[in-house]
Amino acid sequence: MSVTSRYREAWEGFWRDAPEEEGAVFWDAEPALTAALHLALFEPHLADPGLAMVDLGCGNGTQTRFLADRFRHVVGADLSGAAIEHARHADPAGQATYRVLDAVEKNETESLHAELGDANVYMRGVLHQAEPDDRQPMVDGIAALLGDRGRAFLVELSEDAKPVLLGLAQSPAGPPPKLAPIFQHGIAPGEVADASVPEYFRTAGLTILASGELPLTTTEFTPEGTRIVLPSKWVVAGRTS
């Protein structure tokens, strides 16, 4: 099973058109407001911090580079080759390694696991962008990357984010400038039921070790100058036996 060509092409087009500068993309908030907060929740549950860390759905690699300052081996992986080119261009020192990966394709995640061994996985706001039929295979792919010792941290928009996004998209003035390209490229956010996220992990043979709520910070602001944050939920998962 692999992602649809329409979905892949939508992301390729989005990242080909995306500006190079950090913070120009809707979700590309600075790590102090994103990965740093998540890492504080994730690190206490790492069974082995020395494992490779995979930033799944890394985009242009802003969070990947932050993780690479804190873990010995970090891999930024994304479905889009254009995104990976952005990430490599922004990381001339090669702090992390980057690769195109279809996380829905079992052979690809199993091959990466064979290369890295058990790995820890960080994934932020990716599941809701996947086609509904691809979500369980994606979490199955995360389980393959974890192996026996790895742990996954996933933060995902909650159901409460939908009315916020709809309100922004349907504003009389049109969607905010950084949100508009998402819709223009046909990758409008989809809803993931809150209860389904932990169920995806359980179906993949993983145990939920911790969970909670935390606003997902964006780079966009309202006309009044307030930064837009979206309700989200997070989980830490892994095998316990």
Side-chain angles (χ1 to χ4, degrees):
M1 183 176 189
S2 180
V3 297
T4 66
S5 59
R6 184 209 64 80
Y7 179 74
R8 186 189 300 272
E9 289 163 6
W11 278 110
E12 288 291 0
F14 174 86
W15 281 112
R16 278 196 302 267
D17 293 346
E20 288 282 350
E21 60 266 22
E22 192 171 304
V25 171
F26 183 69
W27 53 80
D28 192 31
E30 54 267 40
L33 301 175
T34 49
L37 302 181
H38 301 150
L39 202 55
L41 300 167
F42 191 17
E43 281 190 302
H45 300 282
L46 294 177
D48 186 349
L51 299 180
M53 177 70 74
V54 178
D55 181 9
L56 195 56
C58 69
N60 61 0
T62 299
Q63 314 307 319
T64 318
R65 294 188 295 278
F66 172 84
L67 295 170
D69 283 337
R70 288 149 182 82
F71 297 95
R72 75 175 172 80
H73 185 194
V74 174
V75 177
D78 201 281
L79 173 68
S80 166
I84 293 300
E85 287 305 309
H86 275 281
R88 288 176 175 148
H89 185 262
D91 186 10
Q95 291 176 272
T97 58
Y98 304 92
R99 68 178 61 211
V100 176
L101 179 79
D102 180 354
V104 173
E105 178 53 57
K106 183 179 179 182
N107 289 341
E108 294 194 26
T109 52
E110 288 180 344
S111 294
L112 183 56
H113 178 262
E115 177 183 331
L116 299 177
D118 290 358
N120 296 312
V121 173
Y122 173 73
M123 191 168 87
R124 181 177 67 106
V126 174
L127 199 63
H128 75 279
Q129 293 284 10
E131 303 284 359
D133 289 346
D134 288 339
R135 291 169 185 164
Q136 184 63 60
M138 182 177 289
V139 178
D140 293 344
I142 291 172
L145 291 171
L146 299 187
D148 294 326
R149 295 178 296 148
R151 296 289 184 263
F153 182 92
L154 178 142
V155 59
E156 193 57 49
L157 297 183
S158 70
E159 294 173 16
D160 291 339
K162 184 176 182 179
V164 179
L165 287 167
L166 285 176
L168 292 169
Q170 297 171 358
S171 167
K178 294 179 185 177
L179 184 59
I182 299 172
F183 293 101
Q184 291 165 359
H185 284 280
I187 47 177
E191 181 179 339
V192 179
D194 293 345
S196 70
V197 175
E199 191 57 36
Y200 288 137
F201 281 95
R202 294 187 187 104
T203 300
L206 302 174
T207 299
I208 301 299
L209 305 173
S211 61
E213 299 182 7
L214 188 70
L216 195 67
T217 302
T218 77
T219 61
E220 191 59 278
F221 294 81
T222 67
E224 295 74 33
T226 303
R227 187 187 285 265
I228 295 170
V229 296
L230 300 172
S232 72
K233 294 181 179 291
W234 59 270
V235 299
V236 177
R239 289 187 174 86
T240 55
S241 60

